[in-house]
Every structure is written in C-alpha cells, then in structure tokens.
Amino acid sequence: MEQRAGERLAERVRPDGGVVLLTVECQQGVVGRESALPELAAVARSSGALRNVARLVAAAHEADVQVVHAVAERRPDGRGANSNARLFRAAARLPVQQHSGSTAVRIAEPIEVAEEDLVVRRLHGLSPLAGTDVDPLLRNLGCRTLIVTGVSANVAVPNAVFDAVNLGYTVVVPGDAIAGVPADYTPAMIRHTLALVATITTTDEILACWKAPRRSGSAARAADGARVSGTARTAGTVKVPGAAGGPGASGGGRPGNAGGVVSRD
C-alpha cells in the first residue's frame, strides 16, 4: 500500500511530468525577521516550514522544476486593494506594510530565487490564483500538478488549493512546508480539509522523488500508454494530456486531475 502510494506520488511530481512548485506569500514582510505578522513568522520558522520551502525550491532548481512565487502587496495609496473584510482593514493598519517595491515584498531568506523563477504579485484578494496571472502562466507551462507551499494555512494556502482544484489541477501539499496560527491549527486544517482535495505528503518524500533516477523516455511513454489504456478500458474515453485543446495544452482546455480527490492513498 505504502509502496503504491509512493509510486503514485513519484508519478505526479516527476520533473518531466508537468509539475510546478508554488510558494505562497513567503515574503520578508510576512515570514521575515521584521514581519507584519510576527506570530505567523515565528511559527513558520520554528516549525521548520520556511526551511522546508527553501529546501523544495533549491531541489526544484536542481531538478528543472519550475518555481512560481506568489507575493501579496499593495500600493502605498491603497488603490485597488480590498477593504471588504476585517482582515484587509486590519492589515492596512499594521506597522509593516507590504508596499510594492519595498523590502517587505521580497522573497524571504533562506529561500533563493533563481533567474528562471516566476514572481507573480497581486494587489487584491485572498488567493494567489484568483484574478492573478498564476493560472494562465501554469497553463502555458503545461502544468498538471501544482505543489503548494508557504503561508498561511489559515487563509492563502487553502484558497490556493481550492482554486487550483477548481481549475482542474492535481494539487500536492507537503504538510511540513506550510504554516498557520496557532501552530496546532495547521495539522487540523490539513487533516480535516486539505486532505479531502489534495495529496498530502512531506518535503522529504518529494525530494526523494526528485532525486530518484528518471525513467528513460521510452519507458515513461510505455508506462503512460499502459495507464491510458487501462483507463480507457474502465472509463470508455480518455483525454490525452497535452493534446490540442486538452489538459495541459497551453492554448486552452483544463489540466488533468489525475487521481481526483486523494489524500495519502
């Protein structure tokens, strides 16, 4: 059972299989030393979540996995920012502001940003995906599986997971690479909510998948063909990822959600 679960995870996150790593609000003004939210920053660091995000980003760079950093910011004049919830109004009064161009919106250490990384900034809302460039960028990259990391498990991370699932992506969440407040809220959110819609794993398990020897192109194609064939026998019809207008095509369609609703099965 555990071996099959590991094989399924390896298939979903394999570097040549349309996987993208997303970091959510891992910026200095949120998880850095001078955070607007010191309690969240402290938990992100003490739990090891921020360090694990950095490990995943470094490994993604080595494995040629695309990294996307989602940053929340606001203009100094507040134009376009939300004010329709208590969270937004409270954030506008914090001593540290996530102003565009300030150090607060730079990616926090120890995460290293590579030249090939994409940084997507949003001026409104709660979600890294809704109303931002993240979704079209993922489609153009041929993304099928999105690994979601960062903060917070209270708001932005579940928003990212739900939106990604609604858009048709398969979502993987390394539970030790997200954080929220209080500290014991994160495992409860993972167990009772995120596990219902995403594959829950760990940083080490993903790193092991990326370090494993890659299958040859012919072996990968043969395995993919066998999987499609088996699906066709049971489901009748199959959409092949990457086909014109189909899942994974940058010109349209929806990314495949292979595996549907899963946890650590």
Side-chain angles (χ1 to χ4, degrees):
M1 182 80 169
E2 294 239 352
Q3 183 178 0
R4 289 198 300 273
E7 290 172 352
R8 284 194 291 269
L9 176 66
E11 183 64 20
R12 287 171 187 159
V13 304
R14 76 176 198 265
D16 59 349
V19 63
V20 172
L21 175 66
L22 176 71
T23 76
V24 178
E25 296 183 21
C26 291
Q27 56 205 74
Q28 292 188 30
V30 176
V31 294
R33 300 295 181 186
E34 297 182 1
S35 169
L37 305 165
E39 184 182 1
L40 176 59
V43 171
R45 291 180 176 277
S46 64
S47 68
L50 188 60
R51 180 176 62 88
N52 284 331
V53 174
R55 293 173 64 207
L56 285 164
V57 169
H61 293 156
E62 289 291 324
D64 293 326
V65 170
Q66 180 66 53
V67 179
V68 177
H69 304 281
V71 173
E73 59 183 50
R74 61 184 282 132
R75 287 167 50 110
D77 61 10
R79 287 181 183 271
N82 288 68
S83 60
N84 57 333
R86 186 173 66 179
L87 175 64
F88 300 122
R89 295 190 292 272
R93 296 192 297 269
L94 291 173
V96 177
Q97 290 293 304
Q98 315 299 319
H99 286 162
S100 302
S102 70
T103 57
V105 298
R106 294 179 185 170
I107 302 300
E109 295 180 346
I111 300 169
E112 293 190 3
V113 181
E115 185 178 353
E116 63 269 22
D117 291 2
L118 296 174
V119 180
V120 181
R121 305 179 183 277
R122 77 178 195 273
L123 293 172
H124 62 86
L126 300 169
S127 172
L129 273 75
T132 73
D133 288 336
V134 171
D135 179 40
L137 289 174
L138 294 180
R139 296 188 186 286
N140 290 343
L141 291 165
C143 176
R144 298 172 62 196
T145 297
L146 186 65
I147 302 174
V148 178
T149 66
V151 296
S152 74
N154 305 76
V155 179
V157 167
N159 264 270
V161 172
F162 295 149
D163 285 343
V165 171
N166 285 333
L167 289 166
Y169 298 97
T170 294
V171 178
V172 173
V173 177
D176 57 357
I178 67 171
V181 289
D184 58 3
Y185 178 77
T186 299
M189 165 59 76
I190 291 172
R191 179 178 179 181
H192 298 294
T193 302
L194 300 185
L196 302 178
V197 296
T199 296
I200 306 302
T201 184
T202 66
T203 296
D204 285 343
E205 287 172 334
I206 293 176
L207 296 184
C209 292
W210 288 346
K211 290 176 182 176
R214 299 187 193 179
R215 297 177 302 174
S216 68
S218 58
R221 286 192 296 273
D224 289 343
R227 187 173 61 256
V228 168
S229 237
T231 307
R233 285 195 296 272
T234 57
T237 59
V238 160
K239 289 185 178 179
V240 180
S250 62
R254 295 295 185 188
N257 195 346
V261 177
V262 292
S263 54
R264 282 187 50 79
D265 56 353

